[in-house]
Amino acid sequence: MKLQTAIDRLTLEEAVAKARLLDGQTDIIEMGTSLVKDYGNEAIRQFRQAVQKSTLLVDEKTIDEGAYEFRQGFENGADILTVMGAASKATLATCYEVAQTYHKTMMIDLMEVSAEKLQQIADFDDAIYCLHHSTDRKDVMNPSDTVAEFHQQLPHIKRLAIAGGIDLAGAKALAEQGLTEIVIVGSKIMKAADITAAVQSFKEVL
């Protein structure tokens, strides 16, 4: 099971320094959406220079212009790019084709995707499907229950990630369950007094 650490809502200089610190400590370093919006492709290039050992995911959250955004993301250094599951099937197919061409990976963000839409987009064999609980929602997600429900509905999807307020207890439950490829953690690591120690704690339970 892999740990993805999300770096978000910082200045570019601060974010790149955090990425350099965590390179090789966490399996995947995520350049968060705020950094994409604030600094664009320059941020991807700087993250790529800082991240040499970990996989680099850029949380583009593409919802249209899929070919252009995915080409730009991969050419500037991303290993994994995200597209919203709410996008059209045509956009998802285009993003997937670009990812395959570049020998890279597409992650589909399933935030607020209905069961009906999920059935329509469940056929991208090499994509990672990401269960994502919105930060703006006030309710709390039980990660292992969420994964179990998803797996019951779509057992053929093997590449699964989950994000949204996951703490050590949630990560441990996911590890024991054994159905998730990637556990995504943001604030529980990035707001810790010692972020490298926090990463190590999550790696130990995973």
Side-chain angles (χ1 to χ4, degrees):
M1 187 173 290
K2 296 177 182 178
L3 174 65
Q4 178 174 316
T5 302
I7 302 174
D8 221 343
R9 295 178 293 278
L10 297 171
T11 67
L12 181 55
E13 183 178 6
E14 291 169 334
V16 170
K18 300 290 188 188
R20 189 173 291 112
L21 179 63
L22 294 180
D23 186 30
Q25 304 298 313
T26 185
D27 300 296
I28 302 169
I29 290 176
E30 174 188 329
M31 190 186 105
T33 310
S34 68
L35 296 167
V36 176
K37 291 188 175 184
D38 288 344
Y39 303 106
N41 290 327
E42 175 60 24
I44 304 177
R45 290 190 289 270
Q46 290 196 30
F47 262 71
R48 182 72 281 168
Q49 290 177 351
V51 177
Q52 298 295 316
K53 299 174 183 176
S54 299
T55 298
L56 176 58
L57 179 143
V58 178
D59 194 10
E60 290 269 9
K61 288 189 170 70
T62 292
I63 200 159
D64 195 14
E65 296 287 346
Y68 177 79
E69 291 193 4
F70 264 49
R71 287 193 194 105
Q72 287 290 303
F74 290 136
E75 289 181 4
N76 281 285
D79 298 309
I80 305 172
L81 292 170
T82 64
V83 59
M84 299 306 292
S88 71
K89 182 67 180 287
T91 295
L92 289 161
T94 297
C95 290
Y96 188 68
E97 181 180 355
V98 172
Q100 295 288 94
T101 299
Y102 281 81
H103 304 289
K104 303 288 187 178
T105 303
M106 174 176 85
M107 179 182 281
I108 304 173
D109 188 323
L110 300 177
M111 185 185 295
E112 300 300 321
V113 171
S114 68
E116 181 182 3
K117 179 63 182 290
L118 185 54
Q119 292 288 342
Q120 297 169 7
I121 63 172
D123 55 351
F124 297 104
D125 293 340
D126 294 330
I128 301 167
Y129 288 77
C130 180
L131 298 167
H132 192 178
H133 193 71
S134 169
T135 301
D136 291 335
R137 290 178 58 167
K138 303 306 178 186
D139 57 328
V140 177
M141 170 186 65
N142 182 305
S144 55
D145 286 353
T146 301
V147 168
E149 182 179 351
F150 180 89
H151 185 70
Q152 186 174 25
Q153 294 173 354
L154 295 163
H156 73 280
I157 293 179
K158 303 304 181 186
R159 306 199 70 187
L160 190 61
I162 187 164
I166 297 173
D167 57 15
L168 279 171
K172 183 178 180 181
L174 288 166
E176 292 171 350
Q177 185 181 48
L179 297 174
T180 308
E181 179 178 336
I182 300 169
V183 174
I184 303 170
V185 181
S187 61
K188 292 294 189 297
I189 290 174
M190 298 309 299
K191 292 183 179 180
D194 184 337
I195 64 172
T196 56
V199 164
Q200 185 59 36
S201 295
F202 274 94
K203 288 286 288 180
E204 286 173 1
V205 301
L206 294 178

